[in-house]
Amino acid sequence: MKLDFVGTYAFNRSLQVNSAGLQRELSKVQTELATGRVADIGSALGYQTSRSVNLEAQIDLFDQIKSFNGVLTNRLTTMQDAMNSIVDGANGFMGEMGAAIGGHMDRSVLQGFGDKLLGTVTQFANATFNGEYVFSGVNTDVKAVIDFQGADWDAAKQEIEDAFQAHFGFASSDAQAATITKTDMETFIDGPYADLFNDTNWNQMWSGASDRGVRSRISSREIVENPVTANDAGFRKVVSAGVLLQFMAGTSAGGNALNAAAESAMTQSANGLNDLANSQGRLGVIEQRVSDAQDRIAIQKNLLNEQLNSLIGVDQYEVATRLNQLVINLEASYAASSKIQSLSLMNYL
Amino acid sequence: MGLTDALRTSTNSLSTYSNVLSTVSRNITGVNNADYSRRNVEIGSDSLYSTKALVTREVNISVFKASIDASSKLATTQAMADGLNQIATLQGGDNFIFAPTTMLQTLRQSLELAAADPSSEMALSLSVGNAREFASAINTSYQQLLNERQNADASIASNVTKLNELLDRFNEANSKVVIAAQSGGNDFTSEDTRDALVSQISELVGVSVLRRDNNDMMLVASNGAVLFDRQPRAVNFEQTRIYGANTTGNAITIDGVPITGDGAGFPVTTGALAGQVSLRDKVIVDQLKQLDEIARGAIEVFAETDQSGNIPGKSPMAGLFTWNGGPAVPASGSLVSGIAMSFRVNELVDPQAGGDAKLLRDGGINGDADYVANSTGGPGFSDRLFELIANMDGNIQFDAAAGLGSSYSLTGFADASLDSLHTLRSEMNDRATYQGDLATHVRQTLREQTGPNLDFEMSALLQVERAYQASAKVMSAVDSLLGRLLDAV
């Protein structure tokens, strides 16, 4: 006789239990709809939770590298532009010198050529980017080439003078200097003078640059080293050419000797131009690598975004449909509650 | 059979129906009481002319057993799930902002930033700042987890107190039932109370019920330990108020015999207490060990090695991160308990503590020139920073005691720690949902079967009313017959 009846308490309570469940589900769906992500990532992913964290971090990292690469590209462009200017300066120097050689060597003209070349080199080899000297390698706080004035220049000139005296046996300003033959001068230039621009002396007298270039990350796996510093042969040769003219113009050397200096300066800057072209080429390779890396990063980032989305994203349409269904369910449950509550024998007695 | 017999019969039936009425009205009162079991009343013949109302209590032993079973399992899972959810919330919920994994990724990004612009002291300070945040997140998480252990311990203590109190009340109700049974009667109200108490006790410790003569009950915990046998057994637990790195929580004992922890042969596995003990002694302890290992791993990964090329070189020294035992680096692959508490950024590299952030780029944080990686001192030097970033992904040894295995990179280990937490959490949440549904369903079934139905009781009331009226009518008829007889005499 009991079988036909259900406990009234259980009967009423079942509606409460059901609508509580629906409401819980509803709040979850609302969160998902608002954020576009599953409501509880950790609980939904379990052992894959760290993947979602890592994917987000990687996407951030790619954004970061992308902006680094933008900065690096600008830096490389600055370097290319500066080197173009040096190349232009050296070309101009050679044109002017070519016209002068053979004729009478006027000291002040030579001095002027030297000054102009050195001025160009100083200006552009000491180009800065973000307050860093771009041709100084890792020693970004030191000038790549000394200013050709002041204490550094005086010290350097003294070294050349010492080398001159050691080679010829008299000071450069001595009247005997006028007797130096062309061959003697060539021997001096190729020997003691050239030594002043070897690896050790270059860094002591002329430049604060390091051999090591700045290293930068251009993609998640690649770190590239900037291949060009002022220690490259091109810079040295051009500086050497300019200094040679500057110095010789201040000596008492005769026409033949001056001619030898002028010819050597021509040769050196010609060689220097060749080397600068090489350096520019190497820089260009890096520029290309950076630009390739940028393209790859864009692709990788898209892939990662897709992965992240498939991991924690929700289908908005599906969620919206689910929301609708839940609302309908809940309304039906409320309607049923009120009907059932009013359905009691008490009302008819 | 005379008129007097008819009168006696109707008097008797009046008394029977008033008895039925009282039961029906009691059922009506119990309609909204979840613990009330319906009293069933049947009218049977007593002797030749009289009837008797036989009252019984609706019971369904198997559904009741299923119901207490389901509630105790749900309580275990719920306790674990609550604890795990709390840990996940402390780690920053869905954003995972305080999870070691996230902090390490942030640190890596700022190191990349510094490496892209190594001459910028700002970028280096930013890296050190992120390292400081990572270290302080490790310290804070460790302390929070210790607090969680304290909280779990406090919950165990309060639940044990509650359990003892419930057992006392159970004792009271049970004796009333037994006394009533011994005198041949029933005490249905006490039986209701007793069943409700069994439900409540089973939420704390899973129990099985043994029924004996005179409706006596004996309670046995799920591991076989006797909780109640004519007398309540003493359940004891000594609370530990402060938890440190190496604190072991006390076991719960019944009559001095441990029912939880390593000392118990068969520990109890169901009920809230089992869940809280497992949270306190296993889940949180694993998390603590993993934090210790992450801290130790970070010190190892960021340590500096001898750069001088001398053979033999000096042993590695703590770099960006250090600890109480610094500048020595803790032994690789073996857990140092509590290291997460003293884990911190080396003051010598921290600009906020008067240190020099540039040392992060150049190496030689501990002041020994042999550890300097940037030999020329050029500010564009980024090799050391790139090396540190690469080290974060390089495999080192971790202690298997932390529960995750031994060969991981630092970031991999932090990932695995996060994953293991959420695997368990996800499992517990799923199980809690499933067991919750099951427990609700079983409880619902129990109430449907044993609870009174208002409509049924109301119709029974009408029936009784009519029967009562009929009996009264008989009495008045007999009365008038007797009246006529007496008038005639």
Side-chain angles (χ1 to χ4, degrees), chain A residues 8 10 40 50 54 132 138 217, chain B residues 105 119 380 415 425 444 454:
Chain A
T8 303
D40 182 343
S50 68
N54 285 337
E132 296 177 349
V138 295
R217 183 185 297 286
Chain B
Q105 298 290 3
S119 62
D415 285 351
R425 188 170 88 85
Q444 187 75 7
L454 188 59

Side-chain angles (χ1 to χ4, degrees), chain B residues 329-341:
Chain B
V329 176
S332 186
S334 69
L335 184 75
V336 181
S337 193
I339 193 173
M341 282 198 279

Side-chain angles (χ1 to χ4, degrees), chain A residues 166-209:
Chain A
H167 184 80
F168 293 107
F170 45 80
S172 64
S173 53
D174 197 296
Q176 294 179 60
T179 64
I180 297 172
T181 64
K182 192 177 176 189
T183 324
D184 284 347
M185 185 49 92
E186 276 167 359
T187 319
F188 170 69
I189 292 172
D190 293 341
Y193 180 78
D195 283 348
L196 295 176
F197 292 88
N198 69 15
D199 290 353
T200 326
N201 286 331
W202 172 256
N203 284 125
Q204 267 171 18
M205 294 166 58
W206 310 105
S207 167

Side-chain angles (χ1 to χ4, degrees), chain A residues 42 54 58 60 84 119 126 128 130 154 159 178 182 212 218 229 239 257 281 294 296 303 309 329 335:
Chain A
N54 285 337
Q58 261 179 331
D60 283 354
N84 281 338
N126 287 337
T128 59
N130 267 349
D154 291 344
E159 295 266 353
K182 192 177 176 189
R212 268 282 317 275
I218 60 168
T229 76
V239 170
Q294 289 291 70
R296 275 203 308 278
L303 282 176
N309 201 31
N329 275 6

Side-chain angles (χ1 to χ4, degrees), chain A residues 87-219:
Chain A
V87 168
D88 287 349
N91 274 328
F93 167 78
M94 284 178 66
E96 287 162 350
M97 281 289 288
I101 282 177
H104 173 66
M105 284 289 164
D106 187 73
R107 281 174 199 285
S108 62
V109 172
L110 284 185
Q111 172 106 34
F113 287 161
D115 266 353
K116 195 171 161 194
L117 182 61
L118 289 180
T120 310
V121 173
T122 325
Q123 186 189 342
F124 294 104
N126 287 337
T128 59
F129 184 81
N130 267 349
E132 296 177 349
Y133 293 103
V134 288
F135 289 105
S136 293
V138 295
N139 299 337
T140 50
D141 54 347
V142 188
K143 283 188 176 176
V145 176
I146 62 165
D147 290 332
F148 291 94
Q149 56 193 9
D152 285 344
W153 179 220
D154 291 344
K157 274 200 293 198
Q158 190 56 50
E159 295 266 353
I160 306 174
E161 179 65 35
D162 290 349
F164 188 93
Q165 279 204 23
H167 184 80
F168 293 107
F170 45 80
S172 64
S173 53
D174 197 296
Q176 294 179 60
T179 64
I180 297 172
T181 64
K182 192 177 176 189
T183 324
D184 284 347
M185 185 49 92
E186 276 167 359
T187 319
F188 170 69
I189 292 172
D190 293 341
Y193 180 78
D195 283 348
L196 295 176
F197 292 88
N198 69 15
D199 290 353
T200 326
N201 286 331
W202 172 256
N203 284 125
Q204 267 171 18
M205 294 166 58
W206 310 105
S207 167
S210 68
D211 284 340
R212 268 282 317 275
V214 170
R215 293 188 183 167
S216 316
R217 183 185 297 286
I218 60 168
S219 73

